[in-house]
Amino acid sequence: MYDALTTRYTFACPERGEARVALSSFRRVEQLPGPAQPAVFEIEFGCVCGHEHPGLVSHDELDWAPLGLGGDATFVNLMTATVDPVEQELADLAARRIEAGEWPWSFFCYAEERPRPVFPSAFVVLAPSGGGEEVGLAVRCPVCGNTSINLVTTQHLDVPFHNDREVGVVPHVFASDLERVAEEFAAELYSARFDSRRLAL
Ligand SMILES: [Zn+2]
Ligand SMILES: [Zn+2]
């Protein structure tokens, strides 16, 4: 469940019962196989209790709920008069900004040498870096299918339409199979130098 006011997802924590986490606390995102509509994603997140836990999130919640669009979150909130206007305003604002060519999330595709708009469902692996201020992010490009690693701020992920002006990019095209991406990701993130790329779309 996503709360647009706090920009946090709620998942179960076996120690504390409940955890509220931002997108930047996700560690792995993987679409479950099968014909489920909307698609369901299994995620792992870094919890305040110090451990990582699995969670399930629908495609709508992952990509659209942060914009106030679609998903169960909006449906529930429509039942409560207090939150309803805020949700509607968010949704209207998001729709206007996308129409104007602004994107809620973006990344730099190394294979194509250009920035691309993206949704969180294209994220593959995430890891904290730089004392928690930054996040290493492996993204599968929705256009060319190659995986790139960017180094971004937490706001770049957690605040829709906040795009870092520059991001770090690992100058390396990654294997397309996910197991190897995860392995290479860990190795590259802590050893590789990052090239700087402008993210203006
Ligand atoms: Zn926990
Ligand atoms: Zn690409």
Side-chain angles (χ1 to χ4, degrees):
M1 184 67 72
Y2 185 83
D3 180 347
L5 295 179
T6 59
T7 69
R8 294 288 190 278
Y9 292 85
T10 304
F11 295 110
C13 165
E15 286 177 35
R16 305 192 176 197
E18 192 178 89
R20 291 171 185 277
V21 295
L23 202 52
S24 60
S25 295
F26 284 24
R27 296 290 166 258
R28 199 173 54 79
V29 179
E30 189 173 358
Q31 184 173 349
L32 291 177
Q37 289 294 335
V40 177
F41 291 77
E42 185 176 51
I43 63 112
E44 254 166 40
F45 65 93
C47 185
V48 284
C49 78
H51 295 105
E52 293 185 1
H53 311 304
L56 293 177
V57 60
S58 74
H59 186 232
D60 284 357
E61 279 180 304
L62 189 57
D63 285 355
W64 297 111
L67 308 177
L69 298 163
D72 291 345
T74 307
F75 179 73
V76 171
N77 285 334
L78 288 174
M79 302 291 116
T80 61
T82 46
V83 184
D84 177 9
V86 178
E87 288 285 337
Q88 193 54 52
E89 240 169 68
L90 266 176
D92 291 348
L93 185 62
R96 278 205 303 276
R97 294 180 79 168
I98 290 171
E99 271 172 354
E102 283 186 71
W103 281 88
W105 296 277
S106 60
F107 81 109
F108 195 92
C109 177
Y110 177 70
E112 296 183 282
E113 271 291 329
R114 57 164 295 170
R116 288 280 188 197
V118 75
F119 280 96
S121 57
F123 299 169
V124 183
V125 199
L126 302 87
S129 184
E133 295 296 305
E134 291 183 312
V135 181
L137 169 70
V139 188
R140 195 185 310 101
C141 179
V143 178
C144 75
N146 286 298
T147 300
S148 298
I149 291 183
N150 285 186
L151 190 65
V152 302
T153 65
T154 53
Q155 296 101 305
H156 179 82
L157 298 175
D158 296 339
V159 184
F161 298 103
H162 174 102
N163 290 292
D164 292 347
R165 292 177 61 180
E166 285 193 353
V167 299
V169 180
V170 174
H172 180 73
V173 175
F174 286 85
S176 54
D177 76 284
L178 292 184
E179 300 261 316
R180 286 195 50 211
V181 167
E183 278 172 28
E184 289 183 41
F185 175 74
E188 291 284 347
L189 183 61
Y190 297 112
S191 65
R193 75 201 165 86
F194 285 85
D195 289 355
S196 182
R197 294 288 196 284
R198 294 188 64 81
L199 208 49
L201 288 169

